[in-house]
Amino acid sequence: MKTMKRLFGIVLMLMVSMVVKAQVVVAIGEFKGGTIVEKSQDGQKVTITVTPATDYYIAKSDIVVVPTVNPNPSTTRGDEEPPLAKPLTLEGDDPKDLSEERDYTFTVPEGLGAWVMEATFHSLVSGTLDGGITWELTGETEKTLTISGEGSAALGKAGVPWGDRSEQITQVVFGKGIDGIGDGLLNGFTALTNVEIQNDEAPVSLGKDALPAVKGLTVDVAGNLYNEYLTLDAWQDVEITSTTGVEMKGVAFGENNSYDTYVFDEPLVKPSMLNVLAVTGVKDNSVIVEEIEDIIPANLPVLLLSKELKGDDFRTAKASDEGKTYKSILYVAPEGGKKVEIGQVYLLFNDVFYFSQAGTIPEGGIYLQLPEEKESEPQKEPLTKTRSFLTIGNPADGTPTAIESSMVNGQCSMLRDQWYDLNGRRLNAAPTRSGLYIYNGKKVAVK
């Protein structure tokens, strides 16, 4: 009898033990971006397995597990059975790659169950920042982060939304509507090489450490704002370039030249450091020039005068900005080039327009041609083709245009090895008499 009672007591204890263990019930709902399942129980300890879906990640802090009296998903997901206030502590470390599967363990108080109340899986490819600003990641090993919307792009309370992929992002593009970059938005972007800002209305405002201190970082900005960004203190440590830069071909610096001729096939914004001149006429032995202040019109041959010229100093204008119309006596040689006789046109060489020799001006080469006189409208001062050279300036005020630096026109080989006297007459050969002459655009003393 005693033996039977002892056996009955053991069975009862086992049943009670099983009942106690059975009381640890865990309610787990469905979450977008990944799954959570119960893996095992050891007394009051419960282990769950967290598995992010492809292109999602989750950290331990994104998971909230609470003790509850009635851990039934049908009630605890609603308002019928609110959870107890204090969340349970998750044990286990986050992996370095937050998109990996991992286990967490928590301890449930006796007599209670547990409810995995929240699990915020974050997208690694797209999402939303504060204020409705959207972001998207594209690319495989080298990724581009594109931020779009209207307003300032800033991190919210949730922190960095693209997880641990910051080190893989090489380019960031801020859309046209983004007008600010918040504090530390690009922290951890150690591989970043390029930032593109498409807002062409006003320079974006910068928060503290908005741009990372990455060696070699360049910032491409909308063309019309190029010069304004150059003056901002916060941009002094990065190289400012332009998303609408126009590559300059055939322009080079030389020791004694300041001017060059050029023509563009689309309207461009005039850089602040560059003088751009339209050649509108001629008086006496000088060409009359008119400075272009803002937009360089398309297909207008111009003179360039600059201290410094870079390939990205020229930027396309807005579609609505076509620029002022200028009268011009500069022309562009057509396809196949333009054949000319001696003295028929003028070519720029060493900052002076000289009579051309007989030959062919290469296609795209720029030349100056005096307007033809009309019998019905004779010129007060006939534009006879006896002047062998024309200086650059504006005879109206008697002041020649300042020469500040050097540009060499590569199209002027037709002008080399030429001698002129001080009256502008070209000589057939090198002078034999002593005196001052002009040789290849420079004054030379012959003794």
Side-chain angles (χ1 to χ4, degrees):
M1 191 68 177
K2 290 183 179 180
T3 303
M4 290 295 292
K5 286 182 179 181
R6 192 176 292 115
L7 288 173
F8 177 77
I10 294 173
V11 172
L12 182 61
M13 289 176 62
L14 288 172
M15 290 177 64
V16 170
S17 176
M18 291 175 66
V19 170
V20 171
K21 288 188 177 181
Q23 287 177 346
V24 183
V25 177
V26 181
I28 302 175
E30 294 183 0
F31 303 101
K32 180 182 177 182
T35 61
I36 297 179
V37 297
E38 182 182 334
K39 182 178 182 181
S40 63
Q41 289 189 22
D42 182 9
Q44 301 302 117
K45 284 196 170 185
V46 178
T47 300
I48 57 175
T49 298
V50 179
T51 308
T54 302
D55 290 327
Y56 280 85
Y57 75 95
I58 191 170
K60 183 166 64 173
S61 57
D62 295 319
I63 304 171
V64 178
V65 181
V66 294
T68 184
V69 175
N70 180 18
N72 188 319
S74 63
T75 58
T76 53
R77 299 302 288 184
D79 299 327
E80 295 87 346
E81 187 70 42
L84 301 181
K86 188 176 181 182
L88 301 176
T89 300
L90 293 184
E91 300 172 9
D93 295 328
D94 283 334
K96 184 177 180 181
D97 185 351
L98 293 175
S99 61
E100 291 181 352
E101 179 181 284
R102 84 299 302 265
D103 292 339
Y104 295 115
T105 300
F106 54 87
T107 302
V108 182
E110 278 194 49
L112 296 177
W115 171 25
V116 182
M117 185 173 69
E118 293 181 18
T120 306
F121 290 87
H122 305 282
S123 173
L124 283 166
V125 293
S126 62
T128 304
L129 302 174
D130 282 2
I133 303 296
T134 61
W135 63 272
E136 182 179 16
L137 269 181
T138 54
E140 296 298 330
T141 55
E142 295 185 353
K143 298 186 180 297
T144 296
L145 172 64
T146 301
I147 298 178
S148 308
E150 300 289 334
S152 181
L155 294 176
K157 294 180 180 179
V160 180
W162 34 83
D164 58 350
R165 298 199 177 184
S166 300
E167 297 178 0
Q168 301 172 1
I169 297 173
T170 58
Q171 181 178 21
V172 178
V173 178
F174 292 97
K176 291 175 70 69
I178 301 299
D179 57 17
I181 304 175
D183 296 355
L185 182 71
L186 305 184
N187 279 348
F189 285 45
T190 55
L192 192 63
T193 59
N194 179 263
V195 174
E196 179 180 331
I197 296 177
Q198 298 177 345
N199 188 331
D200 59 1
E201 297 298 327
V204 300
S205 61
L206 296 181
K208 183 180 179 182
D209 299 325
L211 294 178
V214 177
K215 187 177 180 180
L217 175 65
T218 63
V219 178
D220 288 341
V221 298
N224 292 348
L225 298 175
Y226 177 80
N227 295 319
E228 295 182 53
Y229 278 114
L230 289 176
T231 63
L232 297 179
D233 291 340
W235 297 74
Q236 297 305 306
D237 295 330
V238 297
E239 179 183 349
I240 309 296
T241 60
S242 172
T243 57
T244 53
V246 177
E247 185 179 357
M248 299 290 294
K249 295 181 179 179
V251 177
F253 290 96
E255 184 179 351
N256 301 304
N257 301 82
S258 294
Y259 291 97
D260 199 0
T261 52
Y262 216 80
V263 65
F264 308 90
D265 59 5
E266 55 187 331
L268 301 181
V269 179
K270 187 191 82 66
S272 61
M273 74 289 292
L274 185 73
N275 294 103
V276 182
L277 308 171
V279 181
T280 59
V282 63
K283 184 177 180 180
D284 299 329
N285 262 60
S286 292
V287 295
I288 302 172
V289 296
E290 182 176 354
E291 186 161 2
I292 296 175
E293 298 290 347
D294 44 17
I295 304 299
I296 307 170
N299 303 313
L300 175 73
V302 294
L303 283 175
L304 305 181
L305 172 63
S306 176
K307 292 180 180 179
E308 183 179 4
L309 184 64
K310 295 180 180 179
D312 58 3
D313 281 345
F314 286 89
R315 291 157 309 282
T316 53
K318 297 179 182 178
S320 58
D321 293 334
E322 296 182 357
K324 176 183 172 183
T325 300
Y326 294 87
K327 177 184 176 182
S328 178
I329 59 174
L330 291 181
Y331 299 89
V332 183
E335 183 178 353
K338 177 180 175 62
K339 291 184 178 180
V340 295
E341 303 298 330
I342 293 179
Q344 183 179 348
V345 299
Y346 292 84
L347 296 175
L348 181 68
F349 180 65
N350 280 357
D351 302 322
V352 177
F353 284 100
Y354 290 99
F355 263 174
S356 66
Q357 296 183 16
T360 300
I361 301 173
E363 177 182 337
I366 294 175
Y367 60 94
L368 182 151
Q369 187 163 18
L370 298 182
E372 297 289 340
E373 291 184 27
K374 296 181 181 178
E375 293 183 4
S376 59
E377 299 178 5
Q379 300 285 337
K380 292 180 181 179
E381 297 180 15
L383 299 175
T384 55
K385 299 176 181 177
T386 57
R387 305 174 180 87
S388 58
F389 69 89
L390 299 169
T391 60
I392 299 173
N394 192 339
D397 58 14
T399 305
T401 305
I403 296 175
E404 300 182 28
S405 65
S406 300
M407 291 185 190
V408 173
N409 188 317
Q411 307 277 0
C412 293
S413 58
M414 296 169 65
L415 300 172
R416 303 190 184 282
D417 298 323
Q418 295 184 19
W419 288 88
Y420 295 85
D421 63 21
L422 293 184
N423 293 319
R425 293 187 294 265
R426 187 166 65 87
L427 307 180
N428 293 326
T432 55
R433 285 197 222 173
S434 61
L436 285 176
Y437 297 89
I438 295 175
Y439 175 66
N440 286 347
K442 299 179 185 179
K443 284 185 180 180
V444 176
V446 176
K447 297 180 179 179

